[in-house]
Amino acid sequence: MGAQQVREDFVELYGAEPEGVWSAPGRVNLIGEHTDYNDGFVMPFALPHVATAAVSRREDGVLRLHSSDIEGGVVQLSLDALAPGSDQNWTSYPAGVVWALREAGHPVTGADIHLASTVPTGAGLSSSAAVEVVVALALNDLYDLGLQRWQLARLCQRAENVYVGAPTGIMDQTASACCEEGHALFLDTRDLSQKQIPFDLAAEGMRLLVVDTQVKHAHSGGEYGKRRAGCEKGAALLGVDALRDVPYGELDAALARLGDEEEVIRLVRHVVTEDQRVERVVALLESGDTRAIGPVLTEGHASLRDDFRISCPELDLVVDTALSAGALGARMTGGGFGGSAIVLAEAPDVDTITKAVQEAFAAAGFTAPRVFEAVPAAGARRAG
């Protein structure tokens, strides 16, 4: 849905033109999974799929929210009543951003917001972060708050962690706010330093496919939180601030110190090796050896499946089938327990791989997957 349609829908809902229209993208994570809340490295890029918001200010302490993607009318909330845990609906994401801005001392006095999104929900492509960032950017512009993109990402993360209650890291919001077209974002989640890495697969005769398994996941569920708590336990047992501080070359010694903590050992091993995989992918891309990242992606899937244990039969089937059909590499992407996988392929092999995956899902009795090409797109921006 384009900016003009969102603008027209706003007028129909609220009876006046919005002060502006903004958009913020979903993301695909190329490599670096469950490293962000361990102060580690990640490498996402933005998708062309966006959340779009038409927004106007209010001065009466009222927040009005509407989404064309959710059945129901306009939801009206009082800013003074916004509090963590007070809202278990979709509105908790935009309302949480308003709460986070106000709690940080920013003078937001109300808003009328209409949202529409083309980011698939529950697919591990950060649909919630796109909604958070588009609202934050709009209010930053309208209220002239002067916040930098990384600061908006931090506030959006706080909204999701504290207001919504989902223990996610900083990657999704930073990707939505800061990615650049034609690039992947190499992000150090400890200090939020960024490096834009050129990532133009089409120019090299390759494609990156996203395969949405249609298996839905929810970050606020317990399993994600258990993994995060286990990682924090591992860091505490090893006497480091975060698992990012365990050098890859000292991993075996570190694991030996964990004794019989089998689950913690698995989690630590994944995070430390995954950080190293991100650095390997960056080095390969910067040296022009793009095809060589394929096996690194596949290694990452094995680690997520066997050590972090957050894959599922549908994700494993995508990876195994794609590799058998000639893919250069494949792995699950996102928080896990469903969602999407990515497949790196030579351009002439895309149709063969896509057909093989679709047929494998049909043979297994799974819901047909959604397959589309991922092209690195621009981050959040004013759209009208």
Side-chain angles (χ1 to χ4, degrees):
M1 184 176 291
Q4 184 58 35
Q5 182 63 56
V6 174
R7 175 181 289 275
E8 291 172 4
D9 290 348
F10 181 100
V11 174
E12 188 173 331
L13 282 164
Y14 297 121
E17 286 281 339
E19 292 185 82
V21 181
W22 290 259
S23 68
R27 65 97 188 97
V28 161
N29 193 23
L30 184 63
I31 192 74
E33 219 64 79
H34 288 269
T35 50
D36 59 348
Y37 54 79
N38 290 291
D39 280 3
F41 306 123
V42 294
M43 199 172 187
F45 63 86
L47 288 168
H49 307 71
V50 295
T52 303
V55 185
S56 287
R57 288 168 291 182
R58 297 179 66 95
E59 298 180 357
D60 57 0
V62 169
L63 175 64
R64 293 197 294 180
L65 300 167
H66 184 269
S67 170
S68 64
D69 308 305
I70 308 290
E71 284 192 18
V74 173
V75 177
Q76 181 166 314
L77 303 169
S78 167
L79 297 191
D80 291 338
L82 299 181
S86 63
D87 184 356
Q88 302 299 316
N89 300 306
W90 71 269
T91 49
S92 64
Y93 293 97
V97 171
V98 176
W99 168 83
L101 285 166
R102 284 168 54 84
E103 195 201 36
H106 300 294
V108 176
T109 55
D112 287 339
I113 300 174
H114 170 60
L115 291 154
S117 180
T118 58
V119 186
T121 58
L125 303 175
S126 299
S127 57
S128 59
V131 167
E132 292 159 0
V133 170
V134 75
V135 170
L137 181 63
L139 296 175
N140 185 54
D141 287 356
L142 289 175
Y143 282 98
D144 198 22
L145 302 179
L147 295 168
Q148 301 295 311
R149 294 299 182 96
W150 67 269
Q151 292 173 304
L152 294 177
R154 274 280 192 227
L155 284 164
C156 289
Q157 183 200 15
R158 178 163 174 74
E160 187 150 348
N161 289 174
V162 180
Y163 194 92
V164 178
T168 53
I170 190 66
M171 172 181 66
D172 296 350
Q173 294 84 1
T174 306
S176 186
C178 301
C179 278
E180 294 181 4
E181 185 175 358
H183 293 75
L185 177 67
F186 177 37
L187 173 67
D188 182 334
T189 65
R190 170 165 283 170
D191 61 13
L192 296 189
S193 59
Q194 303 176 17
K195 187 174 186 180
Q196 301 285 348
I197 308 293
F199 191 57
D200 185 357
L201 293 177
E204 299 187 57
M206 287 174 285
R207 300 287 187 273
L208 190 77
L209 301 178
V210 174
V211 182
D212 177 3
T213 65
Q214 307 284 348
V215 178
K216 303 300 183 184
H217 72 96
H219 274 172
S220 50
E223 291 299 321
Y224 188 102
K226 286 181 187 176
R227 301 305 190 281
R228 182 165 185 163
C231 290
E232 291 168 353
K233 179 180 180 180
L237 290 171
L238 292 171
V240 294
D241 291 337
L243 292 183
R244 181 259 183 75
D245 297 312
V246 179
Y248 177 75
E250 299 173 19
L251 176 59
D252 289 344
L255 296 181
R257 287 164 52 202
L258 293 172
D260 60 358
E261 293 275 1
E262 180 191 347
E263 182 178 4
V264 175
I265 286 171
R266 288 190 286 98
L267 298 177
V268 171
R269 183 166 53 220
H270 166 72
V271 172
V272 176
T273 58
E274 186 79 347
D275 273 335
Q276 195 251 359
R277 280 187 284 272
V278 177
E279 293 184 294
R280 285 163 63 195
V281 167
V282 171
L284 289 167
L285 291 177
E286 289 188 327
S287 69
D289 196 5
T290 305
R291 282 173 174 79
I293 73 172
V296 187
L297 303 184
T298 306
E299 282 178 35
H301 183 77
S303 182
L304 290 162
R305 180 192 64 211
D306 301 336
D307 276 344
F308 230 68
R309 298 188 180 179
I310 57 170
S311 189
C312 66
E314 292 85 352
L315 289 167
D316 293 340
L317 185 60
V318 174
V319 171
D320 293 343
T321 304
L323 293 172
S324 296
L328 297 166
R331 74 172 191 90
M332 60 152 285
T333 187
F337 311 106
S340 299
I342 56 173
V343 178
L344 181 67
E346 302 284 1
D349 296 334
V350 165
D351 289 345
T352 300
I353 292 169
T354 300
K355 184 180 179 184
V357 169
Q358 290 169 336
E359 289 177 348
F361 267 56
F366 295 152
T367 300
R370 177 174 179 240
V371 185
F372 60 92
E373 182 182 349
V375 179
R381 58 203 179 276
R382 185 157 187 157

